Amino acid sequence: LKWLAFHAGSAFFFLAALGAAAAIARYIFAGYWWAGLSAGLPCCCISGLMGLYFSRTSLEENIKREEDDDKQSVAERTIVFHGSILEGKGPCVSSWPGKYESAWDVLVTGSRKGNVSAAVVFLPEGSEHFGCHDPIPEEENLEGSCWCIPVYGEQKRWGCRWWTKWMNNIEEAVRQGAELEVYFFAGMVGKGKVENFSMAGKEHLRREAIQGKLKQFLKSSEFQAIDRGIECLWKEPRSDGSSQYSREVHRLFLASLSEEDRKLLQASEGLGNSQKAEVAWLERKGFAYTERDVSAWLA
């Protein structure tokens, strides 16, 4: 269908050019050559040039452009979530551990039905605001060209537009007098926080550097020998996205690290990477929040 649509556009402009040329010839033979040329020639030229443009633009480029537009449209209609703050002083989900995908789907569905107040934001790849960066207002007195710097320590390809939207949602929830709720990993309420917001980006970079050692570990002869013995472990993911196999790999990876690196990663468990900055921001602003266990959404 896309192939037909593309060539139909080219054919249309070529036929339009031929039609204009025929009309010019008819006026000339009838003795109205000046009218034919002045009115028909521009139309003929424009149609011909448009047809030439479509014919020279590769079919693959046009189809790819249409497919990209389709993907963005689907993303905007389905998984994109800008948050939704309900009126009143009820609870508002203000920070959420993204690895609990099934519970996230329940949260988003409830919010879209008007049953759940949520400040959290998700702008996936392919959506309109993915990759957009927003500057930090001067009054915040923070270093960085955009919010990625204090949140992640460096610019990220997914951008920080989501952060701006999240902050605006939080401000609205506070104006409504809502109870801000922060959800922690199952069984880990209160854990995984960073020291303060000014340290969030630096700590994120340090965790990334340690996690970067995982690829090297998986290629090591030590792990290759062990891997043959754990291949039989269950690989079906549970509610937090991990499997019996992936948890054992994680345990082995932690054991391979220095004591300092191992303790840092273990201490960071409890909140997702972006959550650490979110919670630190709430504390920086003096916004009270209630700590919750995500297990309440897994029943």
Side-chain angles (χ1 to χ4, degrees):
L1 289 176
K2 290 180 179 178
W3 184 89
L4 288 174
F6 168 74
H7 286 289
S10 301
F12 171 80
F13 284 109
F14 277 123
L15 289 174
L18 289 175
I24 291 172
R26 186 174 180 183
Y27 270 92
I28 291 174
F29 285 127
Y32 302 104
W33 60 270
W34 63 90
L37 292 177
S38 62
L41 189 57
C43 295
C44 183
C45 292
I46 292 172
S47 298
L49 288 172
M50 291 299 293
L52 184 62
Y53 167 79
F54 275 98
S55 65
R56 291 199 169 207
T57 304
S58 71
L59 175 61
E60 292 77 12
E61 289 177 357
N62 281 275
I63 290 179
K64 185 178 185 304
R65 190 181 300 114
E66 291 180 7
E67 289 177 343
D68 289 343
D69 290 342
D70 290 345
K71 288 179 181 178
Q72 179 173 331
S73 177
V74 171
E76 293 289 345
R77 291 196 311 268
T78 54
I79 58 178
V80 170
F81 186 65
H82 297 281
S84 178
I85 309 300
L86 302 181
E87 293 184 4
K89 298 183 178 181
C92 175
V93 179
S94 302
S95 186
W96 181 268
K99 68 178 184 177
Y100 294 88
E101 293 184 6
S102 60
W104 168 258
D105 291 339
V106 174
L107 167 66
V108 172
T109 299
S111 179
R112 287 175 174 167
K113 289 181 178 179
N115 299 325
V116 178
S117 184
V120 287
V121 175
F122 183 53
L123 306 177
E125 187 167 4
S127 59
E128 180 183 0
H129 297 291
F130 181 88
C132 295
H133 300 269
D134 288 334
I136 304 172
E138 291 185 8
E139 59 268 23
E140 295 297 347
N141 196 28
L142 293 168
E143 295 182 359
S145 57
C146 71
W147 284 106
C148 284
I149 307 304
V151 174
Y152 301 114
E154 61 183 3
Q155 277 203 351
K156 295 297 185 181
R157 67 183 187 88
W158 53 84
C160 51
R161 177 63 51 81
W162 73 269
W163 177 267
T164 304
K165 290 179 174 292
W166 174 80
M167 287 192 301
N168 291 338
N169 288 343
I170 290 295
E171 295 285 349
E172 176 59 26
V174 171
R175 280 193 293 272
Q176 292 288 341
E179 176 193 3
L180 305 183
E181 294 183 329
V182 171
Y183 282 87
F184 291 77
F185 295 177
M188 305 192 76
V189 172
K191 298 181 179 180
K193 300 179 185 180
V194 295
E195 185 177 342
N196 54 59
F197 187 74
S198 63
M199 293 295 295
K202 296 176 182 178
E203 291 192 23
H204 178 84
L205 289 179
R206 189 177 175 194
R207 290 193 305 275
E208 275 196 332
I210 299 173
Q211 291 288 1
K213 299 178 182 179
L214 177 60
K215 289 184 179 180
Q216 183 179 351
F217 171 72
L218 295 177
K219 293 178 180 178
S220 68
S221 57
E222 176 187 0
F223 176 75
Q224 294 298 321
I226 299 175
D227 190 40
R228 288 190 288 270
I230 63 174
E231 268 293 325
C232 60
L233 295 180
W234 193 249
K235 295 182 175 64
E236 187 70 20
R238 63 183 188 183
S239 58
D240 64 356
S242 70
S243 65
Q244 186 182 26
Y245 175 79
S246 69
R247 291 192 296 276
E248 179 61 14
V249 170
H250 181 66
R251 186 189 69 79
L252 294 170
F253 172 59
L254 288 178
S256 73
L257 297 172
S258 68
E259 183 177 0
E260 181 182 0
D261 287 350
R262 180 169 59 256
K263 285 184 176 179
L264 189 148
L265 288 188
Q266 289 174 330
S268 71
E269 287 291 310
L271 290 171
N273 286 324
S274 299
Q275 276 192 287
K276 297 178 188 301
E278 291 173 344
V279 173
W281 181 257
L282 295 180
E283 294 178 350
R284 175 185 172 92
K285 288 295 184 180
F287 296 151
Y289 61 88
T290 303
E291 298 180 346
R292 303 286 191 193
D293 193 313
V294 74
S295 298
W297 290 80
L298 304 178

